[in-house]
Amino acid sequence: MSLLTKWQQRVRLTRGGAHLPHRRYTAGMDTVQMPPPARLYFPMQQHIGAPCTPTVKVGDTVAVGQVIGDSDQYVSAPIHSSVSGVVTDITKMTLPSGAVTDVVVVDADGEQRIAPTVKPPVVHTFEDFIRAVKESGLVGLGGAGFPTHIKLNPKNRDAIDTVIINVAECEPYVTSDYREVLENSWDIVSGLQTVMEFLEVPRVLIAIERDRYKAVSEMQKIAQSVDTPDREVRVVRLRTRYPQGAEKVLIYTCTGRKMAAGQLPADVGCVVLNAASVAHIARYLKTGMPLVQKRITLDGSAIAHPKNIFVPVGALVRDVIAFAGGTRAPITRLINGGPMMGGTLIDEDFPIMKASKAIVAFSEVDCPPVESGNCLRCGKCIQHCPMGLEPPLLVAAYKAGDVATLQKRQIDACMDCGCCTYSCPAHRPLAEHLRLAKALARRRR
């Protein structure tokens, strides 16, 4: 009998959210390879958790795939060079979050020599598998940057009964995961089989928006190829409403399980992996090449020639834009990620990192200056919040420094989806204030 009853197979509707214009202009464009630029920058904080410490010094020669930053903390992931060359500087950089981190600067020599440590890992046991995933440098490629070996090895591993493969790109412009599915579907198959084998889960759900027809077809082929009588693999076709790809929303939509504030997916018996993460696991086990390049979408009204691009980790956004033909108009807003949840960059001198999946550059046509007004008490931000929060009250509590009210009103449940700002007719920067409010609550704790 199917592990999914008819009730379980039904896609559940969540509250709130927003209907966004898709603008996926690059969906039909094959990914092109960008050559390494002359100089690359490797921040030591490219993941949630403890930052890495440089393992090289100025003057050292490095090779592709060589570890240049690592940490002995469990919640961390090593950082590898994407080029061969010479370390010319170790400096500091301020990230969009405000955190200051060390940065290893490497001048490429153009030879792209592979490090002798790059070889397929020997994996026989679950412990071997987790060690290999950590050594690959893999972090959540959906944008959050959570170290993947932590996801795959929760404390309650025996309680995990569902793996969800997230193929839902619900933000406008972003098509990098869609191209991963179309261009590397069999890497996803191989990675999926490996995850199923070592986690020993009875159910895998591949979640994808139902209007991505070609990708849905590819995912259905994958599901059929790995489906067995004792392990069920199914495609869950999601409605096209933002933010379907957010973990909390995705888990509820696919399984009906609700995550409370502060809970992780493992607490409700789930592991959520991005499709590109699964594919990387397969490639690393075959080749031993760690995470040294990213497929990103470069788009927006300021970009002359939007593209999907394989970019060496550490390349500056400036170099990526130049590779794509430059800009057609002055950039008024530059975003690392999608326009809803991405972080605004102050300039183009910022490196592509492991969790980067898109660079969106707007001209004044799509991002004109606007003035923020007073709250109209219309309630639209509350209506559109997927978590049922009350943004105006939370923002007022933040401005007053009232951490007790922030905690009482469950500020930790905020997903940073941006629906409140998007829906506000007064153009109030609600989401931005909520991010600051969450940071304040964390510091006080």
Side-chain angles (χ1 to χ4, degrees):
M1 181 179 176
S2 170
L3 290 174
L4 292 176
T5 65
K6 289 183 179 180
W7 179 81
Q8 289 173 313
Q9 290 180 37
R10 188 177 67 244
V11 174
R12 293 158 189 82
L13 301 181
T14 54
R15 61 154 289 144
H19 288 291
L20 305 180
H22 290 169
R23 299 183 180 177
R24 293 168 179 152
Y25 307 125
T26 59
M29 298 180 182
D30 291 340
T31 309
V32 297
Q33 181 70 58
M34 173 184 168
R39 176 167 290 179
L40 297 96
Y41 298 78
F42 300 91
M44 295 290 102
Q45 180 75 69
Q46 298 196 32
H47 48 263
I48 292 174
C52 291
T53 300
T55 58
V56 292
K57 59 184 184 299
V58 174
D60 284 355
T61 300
V62 298
V64 179
Q66 177 181 332
V67 174
I68 59 175
D70 207 350
S71 170
D72 58 2
Q73 299 296 309
Y74 183 57
V75 184
S76 186
I79 295 167
H80 305 79
S81 176
S82 59
V83 296
S84 60
V86 178
V87 178
T88 57
D89 195 9
I90 296 178
T91 183
K92 300 285 186 181
M93 173 180 288
T94 301
L95 302 177
S97 65
V100 178
T101 183
D102 290 326
V103 179
V104 174
V105 183
V106 177
D107 281 3
D109 58 18
E111 298 179 8
Q112 288 301 87
R113 288 173 286 102
I114 306 298
T117 53
V118 175
K119 53 187 177 182
V122 177
V123 176
H124 296 301
T125 66
F126 178 78
E127 290 72 24
D128 293 338
F129 173 61
I130 294 299
R131 186 182 309 110
V133 173
K134 181 176 182 179
E135 291 174 351
S136 77
L138 182 60
V139 301
L141 301 184
F146 193 81
T148 304
H149 68 279
I150 305 292
K151 278 189 177 184
L152 294 172
N153 190 25
K155 295 179 180 178
N156 62 335
R157 183 159 60 94
D158 292 341
I160 302 300
D161 61 12
T162 302
V163 170
I164 300 175
I165 307 300
N166 187 359
V167 199
E169 283 180 315
C170 47
E171 289 208 55
Y173 298 98
V174 185
T175 63
S176 49
D177 284 349
Y178 179 71
R179 296 309 310 177
E180 181 78 43
V181 170
L182 297 186
E183 297 172 18
N184 295 308
S185 60
W186 290 106
D187 283 338
I188 298 176
V189 171
S190 179
L192 179 55
Q193 289 174 318
T194 302
V195 170
M196 291 173 64
E197 175 186 350
F198 284 107
L199 286 187
E200 299 179 335
V201 291
R203 180 171 66 173
V204 175
L205 305 177
I206 303 174
I208 184 168
E209 290 171 297
R210 59 192 177 197
D211 66 334
R212 313 306 296 272
Y213 305 112
K214 290 184 178 179
V216 169
S217 177
E218 285 296 321
M219 290 295 97
Q220 286 175 334
K221 293 176 185 176
I222 290 175
Q224 292 169 4
S225 70
V226 296
D227 192 23
T228 65
D230 58 338
R231 289 182 184 172
E232 185 154 10
V233 181
R234 285 186 176 272
V235 173
V236 179
R237 290 181 288 183
L238 308 172
R239 62 175 181 160
T240 54
R241 185 175 178 85
Y242 178 83
Q244 284 288 1
E247 269 189 345
K248 293 177 181 178
V249 175
L250 192 67
I251 289 173
Y252 177 74
T253 299
C254 293
T255 69
R257 301 170 187 176
K258 295 182 179 180
M259 287 173 57
Q263 280 191 317
L264 296 173
D267 296 325
V268 292
C270 297
V271 168
V272 180
L273 296 172
N274 179 266
S277 300
V278 175
H280 173 76
I281 290 173
R283 289 192 288 268
Y284 180 72
L285 295 180
K286 293 173 186 174
T287 67
M289 181 59 72
L291 184 57
V292 295
Q293 73 171 4
K294 276 302 303 292
R295 178 191 276 104
I296 70 163
T297 299
L298 177 67
D299 205 346
S301 54
I303 300 299
H305 303 288
K307 298 180 186 296
N308 288 300
I309 310 172
F310 282 124
V311 180
V313 171
L316 292 181
V317 170
R318 180 181 305 280
D319 295 322
V320 179
I321 294 176
F323 169 75
T327 59
R328 69 175 76 182
I331 298 174
T332 58
R333 187 177 181 190
L334 185 64
I335 303 172
N336 180 26
M340 294 296 288
M341 297 184 72
T344 299
L345 302 178
I346 59 173
D347 56 37
E348 299 169 39
D349 293 322
F350 186 80
I352 297 298
M353 300 202 290
K354 291 193 284 188
S356 300
K357 64 183 304 180
I359 297 295
V360 180
F362 289 126
S363 67
E364 193 170 352
V365 172
D366 279 340
C367 194
V370 294
E371 291 292 331
S372 175
N374 294 324
C375 179
L376 304 177
R377 303 294 192 271
C378 65
K380 287 188 176 181
C381 58
I382 300 172
Q383 176 187 350
H384 286 273
C385 178
M387 304 309 295
L389 303 179
E390 299 173 281
L393 294 180
L394 291 167
V395 170
Y398 162 69
K399 291 182 176 180
D402 187 354
V403 176
T405 297
L406 289 176
Q407 294 173 340
K408 181 180 178 181
R409 297 283 183 175
Q410 297 194 341
I411 183 62
D412 289 333
C414 175
M415 302 186 301
D416 295 332
C417 68
C419 286
C420 50
T421 295
Y422 181 80
S423 62
C424 179
H427 307 293
R428 301 181 70 210
L430 298 169
E432 291 78 358
H433 280 110
L434 294 186
R435 291 190 185 105
L436 295 172
K438 287 204 298 184
L440 173 63
R442 284 195 298 267
R443 287 197 302 271
R444 291 292 177 86
R445 281 199 298 269

